[in-house]
């Protein structure tokens, strides 16, 4: 089930589907312990005139958006048959672990006074387990509680200032029972006050509505590590008022997004809107410990072996770059603290990590051709150093840099210096950034040049002269080796990667967007170097969709989620934006930036209504494919907009494009 909204506060990440139903509820880490699970949901339904209709029914017309400049959902649900409209605001309270919903219910019949009931159904997979749950009604507090071990939830609601008037708990998905939501079909709940096993619950709020009258409902779901904790949260909500918490959270996010002073010169309003939403979506995927997950969407688990709820150093480093450039260097600092804690003793990063800093699952083996190999993508180690220098240039946080110099910067830079092939001087073989092929990869080699250049700057900054020389000389040596060993003068192109079999080099000349991007973004040669110009042009021609919606694929013969055999692969937001970024670097006038604006408009055309960007698209229809949202896509969009504005300032067109920190 595709996700339409992503909301969070650093401890909680909540995903809602296209019907406004909660589908993912992560706690206590963003991306770790999905308390709803990939198959369960929290329904919302209306009972009127003897009929119950859940919002997932065919008779509802639903629009879902992310509010402008606010990390809050805006849902409109219209049912013409029932004569009912719901206007729903959803958010996660920024200060405490509370999910809040404000629902305005309207009787749209101009000539009928009616009783309308609103029902909320909760299904949990607490601690990602199906067993040993308990749900009960507390008659003293007049709330529903779900708990299992050190995870507890409290559910409450108000209509016109009074609490819910109906409830029940029950079993679902076991003993032949579908769930307590079936009990709501006659508009009256059984008031079963306790159940254990795989349990769910429903609460109901009913009242009379005059013709065209509106009522205000507040619903909240608080989570903690004990029943006492969630009872305190419930008291906190009642004391301050759920409406107050919603407004203070909206004010916080509005201030957070608009504190920057971007001019957005020459950009469409749709681009500006997606830029601001992208920052919010990225921020929702950041844990308070600095972990930045790739995506919180559990839907992919139903089709694959795993989710994207991990910290890929690659994705996270680029997201940290984007947030730093957009004005939130604090998140980047938290992320680099995370990196400092998880880096291997020998100075490299593994494939991916769980948000709690443990090692994530992987498909990279420890043996290759019968020999030991490190199961890494070396570019992930390199990108951390590259992003860290960007953070320092923005923050000038010298004390933090000094505190992690030996443990993170020097450790990883020394690894990059030593992890090199003796025959070519290039980095040793590792997996490419697409996590598919093993070899000496052009993008990886270029990223190592960028990383060691950054390490040399850090060493110079702190007076480490010997290290500065080693890092700078190694970076230059690898840069020359790229031009010598990875460039084919016959075809005039760079290879994707090379493999060594004994003393024999085997070149993989697959056209890959990352090859051209790596050469450009890490400055392996000037932007007007004929070799780079040719690589960019030929790559863009080869990978741009020749039919359908346009956009660029990853590489030739890409079968990942491919929907049409005629294409080289599906278009990705990331790769399309890479070529916009190169166009910015190469531009010599404002007029030359029009292709950049068009690529940004392309992204807005194929974003969801709520502003989410997926990993890739169906090249024929523009349908979102694979994971949605992909934080990396949003990061590259934000970085492209900022690079565009920086270039305008360089041209003297825009004097106030940069953010004020």
């Amino acid at each position: 089930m595709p996700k339409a909204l992503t909301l969070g506060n650093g401890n909680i990440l909540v995903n809602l589907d296209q019907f406004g139903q909660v589908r993912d509820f992560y706690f206590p880490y963003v991306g770790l312990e999905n308390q709803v699970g990939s198959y369960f949901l929290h329904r919302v339904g209306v009972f009127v005139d003897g009929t119950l209709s859940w919002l997932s029914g065919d008779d509802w017309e639903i629009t879902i958006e992310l509010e402008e400049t606010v990390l809050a959902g805006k849902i409109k649900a219209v049912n013409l048959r029932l004569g009912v409209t719901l206007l729903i605001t959803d958010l996660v309270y920024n200060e405490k672990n509370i999910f809040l919903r404000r629902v305005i219910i309207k009787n749209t019949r101009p000539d009928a006074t009616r009783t309308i009931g609103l029902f909320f159904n909760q299904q949990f997979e607490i601690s990602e387990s199906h067993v040993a749950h308990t749900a009960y009604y507390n008659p003293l507090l007049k709330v529903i509680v779900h708990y299992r071990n050190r995870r507890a939830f409290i559910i409450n609601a108000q209509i016109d200032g009074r609490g819910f008037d109906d409830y029940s708990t029950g079993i679902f998905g076991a003993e032949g029972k579908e769930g307590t939501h079936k009990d709501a079909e006659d508009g009256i709940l059984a008031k079963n006050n306790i159940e254990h096993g795989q349990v769910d619950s429903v609460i109901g709020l009913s009242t009379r509505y005059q013709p065209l009258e509106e009522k205000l409902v507040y619903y909240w779901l608080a989570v903690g590590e004990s029943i006492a904790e969630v009872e305190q949260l419930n008291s906190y909500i009642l004391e301050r008022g759920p409406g107050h918490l919603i407004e203070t959270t909206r004010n916080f996010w509005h201030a957070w997004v608009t504190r920057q002073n971007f001019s957005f010169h020459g950009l469409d309003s749709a681009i500006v809107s997606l830029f601001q939403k992208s920052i919010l979506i990225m921020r929702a995927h950041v844990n308070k410990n600095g972990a930045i997950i790739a995506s919180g969407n559990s839907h992919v688990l139903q089709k694959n072996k795993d989710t994207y709820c991990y910290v890929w150093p690659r994705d996270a480093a680029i997201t940290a770059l984007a947030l730093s450039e957009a004005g939130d260097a604090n998140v980047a600092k938290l992320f680099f603290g995370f990196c400092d804690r998880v880096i291997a003793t020998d100075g490299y990063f593994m494939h991916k990590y769980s948000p709690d800093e443990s090692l994530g699952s992987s498909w990279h083996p420890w043996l290759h051709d019968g020999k030991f190999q490190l199961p890494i993508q070396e570019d992930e180690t390199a990108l951390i150093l590259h992003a860290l220098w960007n953070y320092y240039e923005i923050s000038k946080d010298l004390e933090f840099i000094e505190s992690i110099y030996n443990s993170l910067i020097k450790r990883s830079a020394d690894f990059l210096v030593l992890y090199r092939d003796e025959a070519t001087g290039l980095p040793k073989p590792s997996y490419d950034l697409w996590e598919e092929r093993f070899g000496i990869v052009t993008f990886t080699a270029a990223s190592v040049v960028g990383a060691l250049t950054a390490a040399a700057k850090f060493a110079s900054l702190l007076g480490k002269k010997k290290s500065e020389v080693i890092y700078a000389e190694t970076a230059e040596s690898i840069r020359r080796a790229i031009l010598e060993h990875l460039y084919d003068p016959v075809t005039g192109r760079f290879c994707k990667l090379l493999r060594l079999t004994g003393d024999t080099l085997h070149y993989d000349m697959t056209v890959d967007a990352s090859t051209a991007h790596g050469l450009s973004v890490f400055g392996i040669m000037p932007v007007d170097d004929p070799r780079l110009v040719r690589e960019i042009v030929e790559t863009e021609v080869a990978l741009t969709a020749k039919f359908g919606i346009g956009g660029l694929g990853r590489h030739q013969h890409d079968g990942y989620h491919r929907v049409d055999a005629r294409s080289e692969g599906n278009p990705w937001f990331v790769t399309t934006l890479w070529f916009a970024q190169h166009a910015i670097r190469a531009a010599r006038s404002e007029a030359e930036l029009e292709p950049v604006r068009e690529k940004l408009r392309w992204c807005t055309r194929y974003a969801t209504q709520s502003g989410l960007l997926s990993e890739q698209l169906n090249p024929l229809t523009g349908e979102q494919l694979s994971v949605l949202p992909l934080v990396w896509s949003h990061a590259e969009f934000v970085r492209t907009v900022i690079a565009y504005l920086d270039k305008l300032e360089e041209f003297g067109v825009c004097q106030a494009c940069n953010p004020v920190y």
Side-chain angles (χ1 to χ4, degrees):
M1 184 67 64
K3 303 306 185 292
L5 281 175
T6 295
L7 309 168
N9 69 353
N11 287 331
I12 295 174
L13 180 69
V14 178
N15 287 320
L16 280 70
D17 65 19
Q18 71 266 42
F19 305 118
Q21 302 173 130
V22 173
R23 284 281 182 167
D24 299 311
F25 194 111
Y26 294 97
F27 172 85
Y29 293 94
V30 169
L32 185 60
E33 284 195 36
N34 191 345
Q35 308 295 341
V36 173
S38 59
Y39 293 92
F40 302 150
L41 54 86
H42 290 195
R43 296 175 177 84
V44 179
V46 171
F47 184 87
V48 61
D49 298 337
T51 299
L52 175 70
S53 179
W54 300 104
L55 294 192
S56 56
D58 294 337
D59 51 351
W60 289 94
E61 181 181 332
I62 299 176
T63 57
I64 300 181
E65 300 177 82
L66 190 68
E67 281 195 38
E68 298 293 333
T69 74
V70 177
L71 189 56
K74 185 169 61 174
I75 301 173
K76 183 176 183 180
V78 179
N79 193 311
L80 297 176
R81 182 176 66 87
L82 296 181
V84 175
T85 294
L86 307 181
L87 299 177
I88 306 173
T89 299
D90 295 304
L91 54 75
V92 175
Y93 183 42
N94 64 298
E95 295 185 28
K96 296 182 183 292
N97 296 324
I98 304 165
F99 172 61
L100 291 151
R101 311 193 87 160
R102 179 175 62 200
V103 185
I104 299 173
I105 313 174
K106 183 175 183 178
N107 172 20
T108 59
R109 295 280 167 79
D111 55 357
T113 298
R114 303 186 292 165
T115 297
I116 301 175
L118 183 65
F119 289 92
F120 297 93
N121 167 229
Q122 295 77 219
Q123 296 178 336
F124 288 102
E125 189 181 34
I126 302 177
S127 300
E128 300 186 348
S129 169
H130 298 294
V131 300
H133 298 193
T134 301
Y136 68 89
Y137 174 70
N138 182 324
L140 299 178
L141 300 180
K142 298 181 179 179
V143 297
I144 293 288
V145 175
H146 286 248
Y147 72 92
R148 182 182 188 273
N149 299 335
R150 301 298 297 177
R151 301 288 179 262
F153 299 83
I154 202 164
I155 296 106
N156 204 349
Q158 292 180 341
I159 184 167
D160 287 343
R162 61 176 175 82
F164 59 87
D165 51 21
D166 209 358
Y167 68 89
S168 198
T169 66
I171 294 173
F172 77 102
E175 301 178 10
K177 298 181 179 180
E178 294 184 50
T180 310
H181 68 280
K182 299 293 290 184
D183 185 30
E185 289 182 351
D186 62 357
I188 302 173
L189 299 172
K191 292 186 170 60
N192 182 38
N193 61 70
I194 190 166
E195 193 56 81
H196 75 286
Q198 184 169 303
V199 298
D200 69 342
S201 64
V202 180
I203 61 172
L205 307 97
S206 300
T207 192
R208 295 287 286 174
Y209 289 74
Q210 298 299 316
L212 302 179
E213 185 179 11
E214 295 179 347
K215 299 282 187 181
L216 179 62
V217 172
Y218 289 106
Y219 166 93
W220 59 91
L221 171 60
V223 59
E225 296 188 353
S226 70
I227 294 173
E229 181 183 350
V230 296
E231 287 179 348
Q232 290 173 0
L233 287 173
N234 184 65
S235 297
Y236 177 89
I237 298 164
L238 291 171
E239 178 184 339
R240 286 160 177 77
H244 173 72
L245 302 186
I246 288 173
E247 289 311 308
T248 59
T249 302
R250 293 183 73 259
N251 292 339
F252 168 78
W253 286 118
H254 178 75
W256 183 82
V257 169
T258 59
R259 64 182 172 171
Q260 300 147 102
N261 189 30
F262 291 110
S263 75
F264 298 115
H265 176 85
L267 297 179
D268 304 344
S269 60
I271 295 174
V272 175
S273 175
L274 184 56
F275 175 87
Q276 293 173 330
K277 290 176 179 177
S278 292
I279 297 172
L280 291 165
I281 291 162
M282 287 191 293
R283 188 65 180 84
H285 286 80
V286 179
N287 278 277
K288 289 187 176 178
N289 69 345
I292 305 174
I293 65 170
S295 179
N297 189 340
S298 69
H299 176 61
V300 292
L301 185 60
Q302 298 179 24
K303 297 182 178 180
N304 300 301
K305 300 175 182 178
D306 211 339
T307 71
Y308 280 51
C309 298
Y310 294 99
V311 181
W312 271 266
R314 171 202 60 212
D315 300 49
I318 295 167
T319 303
L321 266 171
L323 286 169
S324 292
E325 293 167 354
D328 192 356
N330 180 60
V331 166
K333 182 176 181 178
L334 290 172
F335 168 66
F336 294 123
F338 176 94
C339 295
D340 189 44
R341 295 189 294 274
V342 303
I343 189 171
T345 303
D346 291 338
Y348 54 83
F349 289 93
M350 297 294 285
H351 182 192
K352 51 193 169 85
Y353 298 87
S354 290
D356 64 354
E357 303 178 12
S358 60
L359 186 62
S361 65
S362 180
W363 51 90
H364 294 338
W366 291 76
L367 282 173
H368 184 75
D369 293 336
K371 297 180 181 179
F372 169 79
Q373 68 176 28
L374 284 178
I376 64 171
Q377 298 163 217
E378 192 179 0
D379 63 270
E380 294 199 294
T381 302
L383 284 167
I384 300 299
L385 285 178
H386 175 69
L388 184 57
W389 179 255
N390 173 278
Y391 162 79
Y392 173 72
E393 286 191 307
I394 290 170
S395 69
K396 303 302 181 186
D397 190 352
L398 184 60
E399 290 81 3
F400 176 66
I401 295 301
E402 186 174 35
S403 73
I404 62 171
Y405 178 79
N406 288 321
S407 57
L408 177 61
I409 298 171
K410 187 176 188 300
R411 180 177 289 174
S412 55
D414 287 348
F415 168 77
L416 297 175
V417 168
L418 295 173
Y419 198 68
R420 295 165 66 204
D421 173 65
E422 292 182 5
T424 63
L426 291 164
K428 285 184 177 181
S430 69
Y431 286 92
D432 68 351
L433 83 163
W434 306 127
E435 307 163 44
E436 295 175 334
R437 303 187 189 182
F438 186 79
I440 298 174
V441 183
T442 298
F443 175 85
T444 301
S447 72
V448 172
V449 173
L452 290 175
T453 301
K457 293 176 182 177
F458 281 125
S460 174
L461 187 70
L462 296 175
K464 316 287 186 180
K465 297 300 181 183
K466 182 178 179 181
S467 292
E468 177 189 358
V469 171
I470 292 172
Y471 301 152
E473 289 183 349
T474 305
E476 176 57 23
S477 175
I478 295 173
R479 189 190 71 82
R480 291 196 302 267
I482 290 171
L483 300 178
E484 178 182 354
H485 297 291
L486 299 177
Y487 177 71
D488 179 10
V490 176
T491 62
R493 287 188 44 247
F494 288 83
C495 68
K496 172 187 171 70
L497 59 82
L498 62 82
R499 297 185 182 91
L500 283 77
T501 304
D503 295 329
T504 305
L505 296 178
H506 301 278
Y507 289 86
D508 182 345
M509 299 304 295
T510 301
V511 178
D512 190 311
S514 70
T515 301
H517 175 62
L519 296 169
S520 174
V521 73
F522 298 111
I524 302 305
M525 59 198 101
V527 292
D528 58 355
D529 187 294
R531 292 167 294 182
L532 179 57
V533 171
R534 180 168 183 171
E535 190 72 30
I536 292 290
V537 170
E538 293 195 3
T539 300
E540 193 161 12
V541 169
L543 299 183
T544 297
K546 305 302 188 297
F547 50 87
I549 67 168
L552 274 79
R554 292 192 304 173
H555 55 73
Q556 289 177 313
H557 322 304
D558 186 2
Y560 183 53
H561 288 287
R562 185 161 62 182
V563 298
D564 192 293
R566 297 173 297 168
S567 69
E568 293 289 0
N570 301 325
W572 283 49
F573 288 105
V574 165
T575 51
T576 302
L577 289 164
W578 281 349
F579 284 80
Q581 292 167 13
H582 175 78
I584 293 168
R585 287 188 286 271
R588 295 294 178 264
S589 68
E590 184 183 5
E592 293 180 9
L593 293 175
E594 179 54 34
V596 176
R597 289 188 286 266
E598 180 49 40
K599 284 184 170 63
L600 292 172
R601 293 186 196 108
W602 181 85
C603 292
T604 65
R605 283 197 296 274
Y606 296 107
T608 68
Q609 186 177 45
S610 57
L612 301 183
L613 299 176
S614 61
E615 181 183 72
Q616 51 188 293
L617 298 168
N618 183 315
L620 302 177
T621 66
E623 174 192 358
Q624 307 270 351
L625 295 177
S626 190
V627 70
L628 173 73
L630 182 69
V631 175
W632 186 7
S633 297
H634 288 279
E636 296 290 9
F637 185 84
V638 167
R639 297 200 68 215
T640 304
V641 170
I642 293 173
Y644 164 86
L645 296 175
D646 286 344
K647 195 71 172 185
L648 288 182
E649 187 176 22
E650 182 182 314
F651 291 153
V653 174
C654 172
Q655 299 300 325
C657 286
N658 287 325
V660 175
Y661 301 102

